[in-house]
Amino acid sequence: MPLKFSLRLYARLASLTALIILLCIVLFVGINSVRSQFWHERFSEPLLRWLASSSSPEQQYHWLAPRHDFGVSDARRLSLSPVIQERLGYGQVVVAENALGYRFLVAGPRGQVLYFQASQPYRDIAIATAQVLRVNLNAADPGEREAAAELLSAGLNVGVQSVQDPQTLLAKGMLDHVYQRGLAFYQDHGEGKVLIRLSDGELIQVDLPAPFNPWAWPVILLLLVASGGALTLALVYVLRNLDSSLRTVESVAVRIARGDMSARVEAREESIVSRLVTAFNGMAEHIQRLVNVQSEMIHAVSHELRTPVARIRFGVQMIEGCQGQEALQKQLDGIDDDIQELDELIDEILTFARLEQGGPVFALTEASLIDIVGQVVEEQQRVKPELSIEIDMDETTEQLALADLEPRYMHRAIQNLVGNAGHYAAGRVLVRCRIDEDHCRIDVEDDGPGIPEEDWSKVFTAFARLDNSRTRDSGGYGLGLSIVRRILYWHNGQAFISRSNSLGGACFSLVWPRKNNNFSIESRQDFL
């Protein structure tokens, strides 16, 4: 579950990142599309208005037609859209993109439309502007050329300056090209320049506005603001959900602190704090169980202590009236038995309390399970010589005798089961031991009356006693099987009950991993 949630979280972060990148790309393309059209209109506007100002531009500037598809035509013949026609009616310069590049349009003389086709707008507009400038400067008188140059510079929105030292252009390789064709286009530090040669041999340099820059700082700033805004909104959304989830956990914690031990946080499968909710609910379950166990222990202990204490008090009173040494010794022996019973009860309670803690009370080591089973059977056989207590193990078990366990506590668990079976067996107890490469299993069976199936869920509950076959008359305090269950829990295993197929009585089973090297307390989420 944690890995699945982490993958979902990372997938969402990746999706959010991709979405923001896509948003930036869409904004970048959209904004630059509008900027590009606006820039091309502004860049071409001086030239087109200069051409349109002529009474007969197609004749006066006919030399533009072969290269640039330049001319004047009726709007209907050009198949212009209503929007373009409306903009032309307002006197605007319009740029229409087509298969050949860009077509620049402006309202011409006599209500017609002047058009100019360019495959490379920046270069073609620059060269056409330089050609118009050269023609007009060649037509001007030498004495008026400077004034004409200023007029053309202002009208065409370009810089015009005479080249005083042509040798400075040799590095650019421009002179040969200019002398052959009359002009040359080149770029210097990103800005377009055109070098033209007039009829008298004078060289003129035309400086053009900078070309369209899609990475202008306002665009970058807008993209940063847009992406930052999207991230901020996403962060606010996530933090609000996180705050809401944490407030829910806080409210449940307050309810638990006020005594409502049944309060739980509603689990949300895809919540960002789902792991916290799972851990919190597990902790709450554990606390509730500990509180219930404590309450049950207090009630049970008070009940269990009352009987031996009452017998001790009665025995002390009887000592005062004892006649003879034999009667006195009998009372003293009874008091000693009651004290021994109290000592055993206290030992059971302390063991159970230690095993009910929230952390492990022992460390697992490699030990021989066969030796432990043999020792338990030998001890119990001495205590109950009237019973037949047998061990059943196969050859594989004998070869794989070593397992990860805590010898003292595992000895206690097996002893509790064998001793419990001895209380109710008619004459025979069977301890079956099976070990394979992965697991260890101990089955303790007896030929007694057994336990009804409806009571199987109760036998491992602390201080629980069954009313039918296994009664109070057999002794015990109702903690033995609870201790067994907790010992197996800390071995990362389970204890359960079934019916013995071979002997007919009860069958208690212990199952746990043979190797617990990778076991850690943090991995246990199932508080029993």
Side-chain angles (χ1 to χ4, degrees), residues 45-112:
E45 184 175 4
L47 174 63
L48 293 181
R49 292 202 182 281
W50 183 279
L51 297 175
S53 64
S54 174
S55 59
S56 182
E58 71 277 16
Q59 296 178 4
Q60 185 176 354
Y61 301 104
H62 62 89
W63 37 267
L64 290 172
R67 180 180 178 87
H68 301 291
D69 188 18
F70 165 74
V72 178
S73 179
D74 188 81
R76 288 175 295 181
R77 293 181 60 186
L78 295 174
S79 301
L80 301 179
S81 67
V83 175
I84 293 179
Q85 294 183 38
E86 184 178 3
R87 292 188 61 193
L88 290 173
Y90 293 146
Q92 298 179 0
V93 174
V94 181
V95 179
E97 193 171 356
N98 55 31
L100 299 177
Y102 293 85
R103 173 176 283 180
F104 299 87
L105 306 166
V106 70
R110 300 182 301 277
Q112 294 179 310

Side-chain angles (χ1 to χ4, degrees), residues 494-513:
Q494 291 182 339
F496 52 91
I497 183 175
S498 60
R499 186 174 299 279
S500 173
N501 295 324
S502 58
L503 301 183
C507 175
F508 287 88
S509 301
L510 310 180
V511 180
W512 71 97

Side-chain angles (χ1 to χ4, degrees), residues 56-266:
S56 182
E58 71 277 16
Q59 296 178 4
Q60 185 176 354
Y61 301 104
H62 62 89
W63 37 267
L64 290 172
R67 180 180 178 87
H68 301 291
D69 188 18
F70 165 74
V72 178
S73 179
D74 188 81
R76 288 175 295 181
R77 293 181 60 186
L78 295 174
S79 301
L80 301 179
S81 67
V83 175
I84 293 179
Q85 294 183 38
E86 184 178 3
R87 292 188 61 193
L88 290 173
Y90 293 146
Q92 298 179 0
V93 174
V94 181
V95 179
E97 193 171 356
N98 55 31
L100 299 177
Y102 293 85
R103 173 176 283 180
F104 299 87
L105 306 166
V106 70
R110 300 182 301 277
Q112 294 179 310
V113 177
L114 183 145
Y115 60 89
F116 181 91
Q117 181 70 35
S119 59
Q120 300 181 31
Y122 187 66
R123 177 187 178 89
D124 292 345
I125 293 293
I127 292 176
T129 300
Q131 289 174 332
V132 170
L133 194 144
R134 185 181 63 173
V135 169
N136 283 272
L137 288 179
N138 283 333
D141 295 333
E144 298 177 356
R145 184 173 290 176
E146 186 175 351
E150 292 180 0
L151 179 63
L152 289 167
S153 175
L156 296 173
N157 192 31
V158 295
V160 179
Q161 58 180 336
S162 177
V163 179
Q164 301 298 328
D165 185 8
Q167 297 302 321
T168 59
L169 301 174
L170 291 177
K172 300 180 176 65
M174 293 290 107
L175 286 181
D176 293 340
H177 196 73
V178 170
Y179 286 131
Q180 292 175 4
R181 300 187 180 183
L183 59 81
F185 172 83
Y186 65 96
Q187 286 185 294
D188 186 15
H189 297 93
E191 295 185 356
K193 299 181 183 296
V194 181
L195 188 64
I196 61 175
R197 178 175 178 271
L198 301 182
S199 56
D200 60 359
E202 183 181 1
L203 295 178
I204 301 295
Q205 180 175 290
V206 181
D207 298 325
L208 299 162
F212 175 71
N213 179 19
W215 298 101
W217 68 264
V219 178
I220 302 301
L221 180 61
L222 181 59
L223 292 179
L224 291 176
V225 170
S227 58
L231 285 175
T232 300
L233 290 176
L235 184 61
V236 169
Y237 175 76
V238 171
L239 290 179
R240 288 190 63 180
N241 285 345
L242 179 61
D243 180 69
S244 176
S245 300
L246 292 179
R247 286 182 181 273
T248 302
V249 175
E250 179 187 13
S251 64
V252 173
V254 171
R255 288 171 57 191
I256 293 176
R258 292 175 178 174
D260 184 7
M261 303 305 297
S262 62
R264 298 293 182 272
V265 182
E266 182 180 356

Side-chain angles (χ1 to χ4, degrees), residues 439-455:
H439 297 91
C440 300
R441 176 166 181 151
I442 301 293
D443 296 315
V444 179
E445 306 177 32
D446 63 66
D447 59 352
I451 300 176
E453 187 171 347
E454 60 269 17
D455 293 331

